[in-house]
Amino acid sequence: QVQLVESGGGSVQSGGSLRLSCAVSGYAVTLGWFRQAPGKEREGVASGYTLPGKYYTYYADSVKGRFTISRDNTRNTLYLQTDSLKTEDTAVYYCVTGDGNYWGQGTQVTVS
């Protein structure tokens, strides 16, 4: 069983940055980030596939070049560094396992 707890959200002006964290209890090879804005479907933002000595990443086109996903296995923590934030990035961001079976409670990112 996996438990996920996000943190690091907040309010920031356009062009600012936030570093989101996801504390992971248990283990999953693939962990990623989704986001959901009010009235919209959840959308995948970034994901990472962990292999020994290697980390494969995926980014949605909308965030490519601005967001960076990383994982610290020694601390069981997943990160999402969000730079050059735009108002359209405003959403609740969720940490999720690759199979979609486990989700965190979400952390709010508000960009104005």
Side-chain angles (χ1 to χ4, degrees):
Q1 190 174 19
V2 178
Q3 291 183 318
L4 308 168
V5 181
E6 302 95 333
S7 62
S11 298
V12 65
Q13 289 185 308
S14 296
S17 300
L18 289 170
R19 184 174 174 85
L20 310 183
S21 299
C22 173
V24 181
S25 177
Y27 184 79
V29 174
T30 302
L31 289 166
W33 293 91
F34 274 66
R35 66 185 180 186
Q36 186 169 29
K40 296 183 178 180
E41 299 272 346
R42 286 177 179 172
E43 61 174 341
V45 175
S47 63
Y49 181 76
T50 300
L51 292 172
K54 203 165 186 179
Y55 191 62
Y56 297 91
T57 58
Y58 158 84
Y59 297 96
D61 289 341
S62 60
V63 306
K64 193 172 296 183
R66 300 188 297 117
F67 291 9
T68 304
I69 189 172
S70 61
R71 184 171 179 175
D72 185 347
N73 289 324
T74 64
R75 299 175 63 186
N76 290 327
T77 304
L78 181 75
Y79 300 100
L80 185 68
Q81 179 68 41
T82 66
D83 297 325
S84 301
L85 284 163
K86 306 173 181 179
T87 55
E88 52 262 45
D89 295 319
T90 296
V92 177
Y93 284 71
Y94 298 90
C95 181
V96 63
T97 56
D99 58 10
N101 289 333
Y102 299 94
W103 295 75
Q105 85 289 347
T107 185
Q108 176 71 49
V109 172
T110 302
V111 185
S112 60

